[in-house]
Amino acid sequence: MAEAHEARSRGPHLISGPATGALLTALAVSLAVVCLLAVSIGSVTLPVAAVWRVIGAHLAGQDSPSALDDQIVWDIRTPRVLLAAVGGASLSVAGVVLQALVRNPLADPYILGVSSGGSLGAVLVASLGTGSLGGLGVSGGAFVTSLLTVFVVYLLAQRGGRLLDSRLVLVGVAVGYLCTAATSYVQLQINPTELQGMMFWLMGSVAGASWSDLGLPTAVIAICMTYLLFQARNLNALMAGDDAAAGMGVAVHRLRITLLIIGSLLTAAVVSVVGGVGFIGLMVPHTARFAVGADHRRLLPVSMLLGALFLVAVDLATRTVDRPNELPVGIVTTVLGVPFFLWLLRRRAGRGT
Amino acid sequence: MRLTLAGVSVDIDGSPIISDIDLVAEPGEFVALIGPNGSGKSTLLRTIYRSLRPVTGVISLDGDDLWKIPARRAARHRAVVTQHGDVDGEFSVEEIVAMGRGPHKRLLDRESGTDRRIIRSCLERVDMVHTADRLFSTLSGGERQRVLVARALAQQAPLLILDEPTNHLDVRAQLGLLDLVRDLGLTLLAALHDLNHAAAYCDRVVVLHQGRVTSSGPPLDTLTPEFIETVFGVRAHIGPHPITGRPHIALASLPPWRPEGASSGEHTKG
């Protein structure tokens, strides 16, 4: 009997089995192409060949052929594009993690107050001066306060070290509101010129990225993603409920606390550099689920690549649609994301039960 | 596999939920755990599938202390079908059953051909192989419960724990599920609400009342009308089942004016 089914029949997902590998390859190639385009296009559009020459020279450790091209490509655009890729990847993976942690499809990376906490830290540093908060810059201040916020949320939401998902969401949302109120208050105290730059950051932007911004978020996504791929099977079990997961041999409480830490780190590392980029963490995981289903062994890598691709593409759009003005990337992700997301929900409702 | 509980107690936030439970399930035996709502059935089962650590007492499987061996190894010895069978997300039926292979796999291992054959054969045993490629969320309640049994079977554990497995199922699905698990040849420990299910399917019943084992033995020796009235606060009559001829427990609520039996507050609530 079993032999008749040995040839894998098509599952219920759009893409399954070996096609997943093809999808991942296609996403990786598209990401590379869009990155290259994004490095070429801007207020000065460079031919791809010139871009290649600069990047090739740096990778080979040689001097660049043109100092001007070098500055545009290597110092300004490349870190910006890479930051968009790392940021999009991190926020998408954080979305997958938090949706599994609170078992709520509406969860996004900001549900635990990470982003509001980070904003508060950023405006505090901006208003008190960079010497405040132990000499941390805006990014450092945002990173520290966003993690502090999650820690407070955890303390308030846990009972005897156990995390209850409904409580976690409620406490996270409440603490988030508190931080937002405090952020608004501090903003009122800032002088208008500083506020202008602050607003751009609060709405999310990868403009002005430098190589030094990339280190922390890149390290965080690399470490977290490795851990998550090892835990993917246990994440699947968690979707069946804590009790069922315990029955399948998962150390549920330890896993959930680790997921909280990972989701927070991923989000904080991005938010502290890029600001609040909305909707990616909700939209990308759902789009990926629509394609490959809920199995985290496939969902995690697909979400990561799709998120990176999406944010690089959106950042490219923000600086080309209204040249030479730039839109904050957070506005565009949301404006593009919401209609697409609503369309996806309708399709799913039509296809489902 | 022989399951032994000795002196197991659980407190939640300082108040005792179950106290000093002793229980044995012999290899191949079908033991029913019965008792009113809030008597501690689910709590007791949770200690066995390591969702809730007992405050005192030892739970052992063939002599191994269940809480001292690694969680994954424990999951190769006992599997569970929990009360809430919802699975979030768009999983196919096959993916749901594949979860049960987790305790047998190293973390990055993919499913092997052997795993796939096991998954297929588990689905065949619950008669759900035709749904392997469907979304779990599109199945009916009875079908889902069968798939969850298949997931538990995929763990290849000799002991199967069931927490009110017939909840929310229509009558045919209830009996079908009980027929199915009885014929698996595993050691079974099931919390059951329906006393007739316990009487018809189980080798032994263990009665929990207010967190303690009040009685244990073959169903019809234990579930006498007087006993049922004391524990559940309802009238009972045992007579031949009109269709099968086997003993059948007929139940009716106690008249509220009757002075004896459970306190009057309890059955007006029910």
Side-chain angles (χ1 to χ4, degrees):
Chain A
M1 274 307 286
E3 276 69 26
H5 289 281
E6 210 58 40
R8 297 276 301 118
S9 48
R10 215 177 104 76
H13 309 306
L14 278 182
I15 291 163
S16 59
T20 313
L23 174 68
L24 287 172
T25 312
L27 283 172
V29 170
S30 316
L31 178 61
V33 169
V34 173
C35 282
L36 199 58
L37 268 180
V39 174
S40 314
I41 299 172
S43 47
V44 182
T45 298
L46 298 170
V48 172
V51 172
W52 265 129
R53 270 199 301 279
V54 173
I55 292 176
H58 274 276
L59 293 181
Q62 296 158 354
D63 284 338
S64 275
S66 146
L68 182 64
D69 285 2
D70 187 72
Q71 200 187 10
I72 293 172
V73 170
W74 193 253
D75 294 341
I76 298 175
R77 286 191 196 157
T78 306
R80 174 179 188 152
V81 168
L82 290 179
L83 186 62
V86 169
S90 299
L91 290 174
S92 303
V93 172
V96 173
V97 168
L98 287 163
Q99 284 150 21
L101 173 65
V102 303
R103 257 197 302 277
N104 184 335
L106 286 176
D108 77 357
Y110 303 141
I111 202 153
L112 301 177
V114 182
S115 152
S116 359
S119 301
L120 179 58
V123 293
L124 273 176
V125 171
S127 74
L128 300 174
T130 43
S132 60
L133 297 184
L136 294 166
V138 170
S139 293
F143 186 67
V144 170
T145 48
S146 48
L147 290 185
L148 273 178
T149 311
V150 181
F151 187 63
V152 170
V153 168
Y154 166 75
L155 285 183
L156 294 172
Q158 57 88 30
R159 279 176 80 183
R162 286 167 168 242
L163 283 173
L164 306 168
D165 33 78
S166 53
R167 244 173 111 101
L168 192 58
V169 174
L170 290 174
V171 172
V173 169
V175 171
Y177 270 111
L178 198 63
C179 292
T180 306
T183 306
S184 304
Y185 176 77
V186 177
Q187 277 177 280
L188 286 176
Q189 319 298 317
I190 301 181
N191 76 50
T193 44
E194 275 174 9
L195 190 60
Q196 178 75 28
M198 224 45 246
M199 288 309 289
F200 213 71
W201 186 87
L202 289 174
M203 284 184 274
S205 169
V206 286
S210 67
W211 283 100
S212 62
D213 293 331
L214 270 167
L216 179 70
T218 309
V220 168
I221 180 87
I223 293 167
C224 292
M225 193 64 185
T226 309
Y227 174 83
L228 288 169
L229 286 176
F230 273 101
Q231 292 293 325
R233 207 185 278 274
N234 290 340
L235 284 168
N236 289 349
L238 207 57
M239 302 303 283
D242 284 3
D243 278 354
M248 287 184 268
V250 178
V252 172
H253 299 297
R254 198 170 55 204
L255 177 61
R256 300 195 65 196
I257 286 177
T258 316
L259 290 180
L260 175 69
I261 294 170
I262 284 192
S264 313
L265 271 178
L266 282 168
T267 311
V270 175
V271 166
S272 62
V273 186
V274 174
V277 180
F279 221 67
I280 288 194
L282 188 60
M283 186 189 76
V284 170
H286 280 287
T287 310
R289 278 191 197 96
F290 180 69
V292 297
D295 187 337
H296 286 84
R297 288 172 288 177
R298 304 187 297 148
L299 179 60
L300 282 164
V302 170
S303 295
M304 183 180 83
L305 289 176
L306 194 60
L309 178 63
F310 181 67
L311 197 56
V312 173
V314 167
D315 177 51
L316 179 59
T318 61
R319 36 194 179 102
T320 45
V321 287
D322 183 24
R323 274 195 269 189
N325 296 318
E326 278 192 22
L327 294 165
V329 75
I331 292 181
V332 180
T333 55
T334 308
V335 167
L336 288 178
V338 171
F340 174 75
F341 187 68
L342 293 175
W343 170 80
L344 191 67
L345 282 182
R346 287 185 67 89
R347 275 209 55 175
R348 243 160 64 146
R351 201 171 64 104
T353 45
Chain B
M1 173 146 292
R2 180 196 174 97
L3 168 74
T4 315
L5 279 72
V8 170
S9 304
V10 172
D11 294 358
I12 292 180
D13 292 337
S15 50
I17 306 297
I18 51 172
S19 311
D20 204 21
I21 305 284
D22 294 327
L23 186 156
V24 175
E26 299 290 346
E29 204 180 14
F30 188 166
V31 177
L33 198 57
I34 63 174
N37 287 339
S39 58
K41 300 186 295 293
S42 293
T43 302
L44 179 60
L45 294 183
R46 288 180 69 196
T47 64
I48 305 170
Y49 58 82
R50 283 181 56 141
S51 175
L52 195 59
R53 189 185 280 272
V55 179
T56 57
V58 175
I59 302 166
S60 49
L61 292 170
D62 280 351
D64 279 342
D65 186 332
L66 185 77
W67 279 93
K68 294 216 169 116
I69 59 177
R72 281 154 49 80
R73 194 169 133 214
R76 296 196 286 267
H77 291 323
R78 58 98 190 87
V80 59
V81 177
T82 53
Q83 199 176 133
H84 303 287
D86 292 337
V87 180
D88 291 311
E90 308 233 309
F91 285 101
S92 73
V93 167
E94 186 173 4
E95 286 167 342
I96 296 277
V97 180
M99 290 178 187
R101 298 302 301 153
H104 294 272
K105 309 300 289 179
R106 279 197 308 253
L107 287 173
L108 275 179
D109 282 355
R110 305 169 70 97
E111 271 94 42
S112 63
T114 313
D115 292 315
R116 294 200 187 288
R117 272 192 295 279
I118 292 168
I119 291 164
R120 285 282 158 187
S121 83
C122 292
L123 279 170
E124 274 164 20
R125 281 166 85 181
V126 301
D127 200 20
M128 290 296 287
V129 77
H130 58 286
T131 64
D133 292 327
R134 280 178 57 188
L135 281 180
F136 182 72
S137 56
T138 63
L139 302 183
S140 73
E143 290 173 320
R144 285 187 202 192
Q145 199 68 339
R146 283 175 170 270
V147 170
L148 295 178
V149 171
R151 183 181 76 197
L153 290 178
Q155 282 174 244
Q156 296 184 309
L159 168 65
L160 179 59
I161 312 274
L162 303 137
D163 193 355
E164 293 179 15
T166 56
N167 249 4
H168 311 303
L169 300 189
D170 64 37
V171 281
R172 181 170 169 221
Q174 291 184 14
L175 298 180
L177 188 85
L178 289 167
D179 285 337
L180 165 72
V181 296
R182 179 191 55 197
D183 297 336
L184 290 171
L186 303 174
T187 310
L188 299 171
L189 176 61
L192 294 177
H193 258 311
D194 190 318
L195 301 181
N196 279 305
H197 288 165
Y201 286 92
C202 301
D203 303 309
R204 207 149 51 79
V205 297
V206 173
V207 184
L208 272 187
H209 188 40
Q210 294 170 350
R212 290 177 180 276
V213 174
T214 53
S215 184
S216 149
L220 291 167
D221 296 354
T222 310
L223 299 173
T224 61
E226 299 73 34
F227 183 78
I228 291 172
E229 182 168 330
T230 314
V231 172
F232 292 93
V234 294
R235 277 193 296 170
H237 171 84
I238 300 181
H241 191 288
I243 303 172
T244 63
R246 287 203 298 254
H248 175 78
I249 306 168
L251 301 168
S253 55
L254 283 173
W257 59 85
R258 258 175 83 134
E260 66 268 50
S263 73
S264 62
E266 225 165 281
H267 35 93
T268 47
K269 250 195 291 177

